């Protein structure tokens, strides 16, 4: 839980030296308490192994997830298959956040950050399971619609191909925004050949890349989360 709290503190902009102040320590204590409460409802996820074709992933049922742009082309180069991951905290988290926003916006901000860290933890757990199912394979860093030039517009196809609407209750609106709010979609390439470092340390697709403490110290959070 310590690492997940670190992640939540980063979302709150209170990582690094900020966590050593009295106010930072108090915030850290509240973050850890909030995460302890969230731990009773683990994230839910689904993994769909797809065939990599030019410009698309194809599910076992033949449903296509378009993968336009250079990011997907680069990340999936030399990959014959890829996992389409959907991970969510569910509607209960959204309801709890909405209730808290009416009582204390400061506490709601902390819960929101903890939710982001918690759903990323769910993605990490799913990735560990994926790796265990494909021993001897090599994997790209996960990358998501909405980052780089991989558009959000593929979300409806993503949810359809993974059956996330029926399995997890995840929906998408006409602006390609998903509900429940704390839901992540991501692609993880699977290859027989070792990956180039740029494929496994994909900071370019990370929303926290600016001011990232891990990057400043020459590490990546992918290394920290998956290899420890």
């Amino acid at each position: 839980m310590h690492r997940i709290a670190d992640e939540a503190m980063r979302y709150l902009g209170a990582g690094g030296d900020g966590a050593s102040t009295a106010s930072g320590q108090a915030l850290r204590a509240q973050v850890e308490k909030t995460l302890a409460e969230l731990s009773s409802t683990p994230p839910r996820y689904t993994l769909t192994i797809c065939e990599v074709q030019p410009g698309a992933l194809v599910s076992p049922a033949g449903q296509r997830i378009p993968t336009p742009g250079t990011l997907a082309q680069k990340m999936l180069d030399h990959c014959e298959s890829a996992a389409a991951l959907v991970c969510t905290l569910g509607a209960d988290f959204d309801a709890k956040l909405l209730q808290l926003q009416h009582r204390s916006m400061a506490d709601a901000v902390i819960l929101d950050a903890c939710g982001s860290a918690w759903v990323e933890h769910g993605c990490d757990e799913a990735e560990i399971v994926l790796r265990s199912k494909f021993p001897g394979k090599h994997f790209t860093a996960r990358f998501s619609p909405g980052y780089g030039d991989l558009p959000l517009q593929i979300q409806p196809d993503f949810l359809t191909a993974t059956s996330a609407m029926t399995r997890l209750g995840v929906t998408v609106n006409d602006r390609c925004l998903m509900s429940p709010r704390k839901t992540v979609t991501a692609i993880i390439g699977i290859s027989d050949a070792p990956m180039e470092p740029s494929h496994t340390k994909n900071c370019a697709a990370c929303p926290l890349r600016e001011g990232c403490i891990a990057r400043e110290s020459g590490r990546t959070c992918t290394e920290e989360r998956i290899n420890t």
Side-chain angles (χ1 to χ4, degrees), residues 1 29-43 89 92-93 96 100 103 107 110-111 114-115 118:
M1 195 64 73
Q30 190 167 355
V31 162
E32 291 179 350
K33 178 182 177 182
T34 302
L35 286 171
E37 293 170 352
L38 287 177
S39 66
S40 62
T41 52
L89 298 189
D92 288 347
F93 179 88
K96 182 176 181 179
L100 195 55
R103 300 200 310 267
D107 289 344
I110 293 171
L111 177 61
C114 289
W118 192 234

Side-chain angles (χ1 to χ4, degrees), residues 35 44 60 101 104 129:
L35 286 171
R44 298 170 58 220
Q101 285 171 339
S104 169
V129 170

Side-chain angles (χ1 to χ4, degrees), residues 108-177:
V109 170
I110 293 171
L111 177 61
D112 185 74
C114 289
S116 296
W118 192 234
V119 75
E120 285 297 328
H121 167 69
C123 292
D124 294 340
E125 291 294 305
E127 192 167 341
I128 290 169
V129 170
L130 174 68
R131 288 168 180 255
S132 72
K133 290 182 176 180
F134 292 90
K137 298 288 187 178
H138 301 271
F139 303 85
T140 69
R142 59 180 183 259
F143 59 101
S144 297
Y147 297 108
D149 58 0
L150 187 65
L152 278 175
Q153 284 70 23
I154 73 171
Q155 297 285 42
D157 291 318
F158 205 112
L159 297 185
T160 297
T162 56
S163 300
M165 289 178 276
T166 54
R167 292 178 180 176
L168 302 175
V170 176
T171 60
V172 61
N173 64 20
D174 55 4
R175 293 182 295 162
C176 296
L177 300 178

Side-chain angles (χ1 to χ4, degrees), residues 55 67-78 143 149-150 199:
T67 53
T70 58
L71 174 63
Q73 181 179 356
K74 174 184 176 182
M75 295 296 286
L76 297 176
D77 188 27
H78 304 305
F143 59 101
D149 58 0
L150 187 65
H199 290 54

